[in-house]
Amino acid sequence: MAKHEALIQFGKNVKLVRKTRGLTQEELASKANLHRTYIGMIERAEKNITLINMLKISNALGITIVELLEFVNNGK
């Protein structure tokens, strides 16, 4: 099954912002109240993330979900 481009780009965006913030996957997972392996799966586009978890991650990264999704739409 091929990975959907939106999932790939979203994962890249999460990873980019996470690294910019100086966070490890484990630190982000802790802040978002998610499992660290789940964060890795999101970054590798292995999971179709839910809206609730998108909100948890964006809040943990200190940005709005809209800002995180704009990366997807604009390819930033």
Side-chain angles (χ1 to χ4, degrees), residues 5-21 54 57-58 61-76:
E5 182 59 35
L7 294 176
I8 293 169
Q9 191 59 53
F10 185 82
K12 287 179 182 178
N13 295 344
V14 169
K15 186 175 184 176
L16 174 68
V17 177
R18 175 181 63 77
K19 287 188 169 202
T20 300
R21 301 284 192 270
M54 290 169 86
I57 290 171
S58 66
L61 291 170
I63 62 175
T64 67
I65 193 170
V66 172
E67 290 171 313
L68 194 53
L69 289 172
E70 283 178 346
F71 280 99
V72 173
N73 293 328
N74 296 327
K76 292 182 183 174

Side-chain angles (χ1 to χ4, degrees), residues 5 9 11 13 16-17 26 28 33-38 42 44-46 48 57-58 60 62 67 71 75-76:
E5 182 59 35
Q9 191 59 53
N13 295 344
L16 174 68
V17 177
E26 189 167 1
L28 175 56
N33 197 29
L34 297 168
H35 197 276
R36 67 173 175 77
T37 58
Y38 183 73
I42 295 302
R44 293 187 303 273
E46 295 173 353
N48 188 0
I57 290 171
S58 66
E67 290 171 313
F71 280 99
K76 292 182 183 174

